[in-house]
Amino acid sequence: MLFQRGEMPEAPPAPAGTHEVGDSDLPVLVGVNEPFQQQRLPMRPGRHSLGRQSDNDIVLQEPSVSSQHAWVINDGGACRVMNLLSTNGTWVNDERIHEATLKEGDRVRFGSAEFVFHHRDHAGVGLPSAERTVRWRPWVIGGLAVLAVAALIRVGLEVLA
């Protein structure tokens, strides 16, 4: 079954008073091979077009990806991928699909661009140790700066007393 762009509803607006979901709470596709290795594609609620063309929601500049390759759909946390008659196909766990519901750890390939699906983006999990270090380094530096300022204030107060 094929759909036109306007036939599937976009994500409804969030009700008033609710907090915005952080990227770490969203399902994510994580790149496996170059040039997308470790690139994270958070799957916000709704339907998102994916392809090589610049008017797609998710643009993958890779020759094996069709200009309008697939849709990725997050329907209340249940995520699906739907091929849009792409030349090189959409594959889930090495099986060519037209539409598939994604499960934790599924390997999803658009042409030769390969990703792994996770229900939540656990920041730093599975990243090389150098990338994990970058995530905590600003917090350590900030904490040390706060301690240094507190020590200077204490010394200043002792001098005044």
Side-chain angles (χ1 to χ4, degrees):
M1 177 182 257
L2 296 177
F3 298 95
Q4 295 297 319
R5 187 175 259 284
E7 290 181 8
M8 290 188 68
E10 296 296 328
T18 60
H19 73 285
E20 182 126 347
V21 176
D23 282 350
S24 65
D25 295 327
L26 293 172
V28 66
L29 289 169
V30 180
V32 172
N33 57 351
E34 292 296 335
F36 307 107
Q37 190 166 14
Q38 296 302 331
Q39 182 175 340
R40 294 173 134 58
L41 305 176
M43 296 178 66
R44 298 196 176 280
R47 179 200 60 192
H48 307 282
S49 60
L50 178 144
R52 201 177 61 246
Q53 201 166 298
S54 63
D55 65 343
N56 285 293
D57 299 316
I58 301 168
V59 177
L60 298 179
Q61 288 297 334
E62 160 56 44
S64 66
V65 174
S66 294
S67 58
Q68 295 195 337
H69 197 102
W71 283 338
V72 289
I73 303 159
N74 178 348
D75 186 13
C79 295
R80 295 178 290 143
V81 63
M82 183 181 295
N83 188 54
L84 298 177
L85 296 177
S86 63
T87 302
N88 294 314
T90 301
W91 303 73
V92 175
N93 299 325
D94 295 321
E95 183 179 325
R96 191 171 189 154
I97 58 95
H98 170 67
E99 182 176 359
T101 300
L102 299 177
K103 299 181 296 300
E104 179 68 28
D106 277 351
R107 296 179 80 83
V108 182
R109 191 162 36 96
F110 308 100
S112 63
E114 189 168 357
F115 296 83
V116 174
F117 174 76
H118 296 288
H119 283 289
R120 295 189 69 189
D121 186 7
H122 301 287
V125 173
L127 291 176
S129 60
E131 291 186 43
R132 279 195 302 258
T133 302
V134 171
R135 292 187 186 278
W136 60 262
R137 187 173 293 147
W139 290 101
V140 170
I141 292 170
L144 290 173
V146 168
L147 288 173
V149 169
L152 288 173
I153 291 172
R154 182 173 181 192
V155 168
L157 290 175
E158 288 177 1
V159 168
L160 292 174

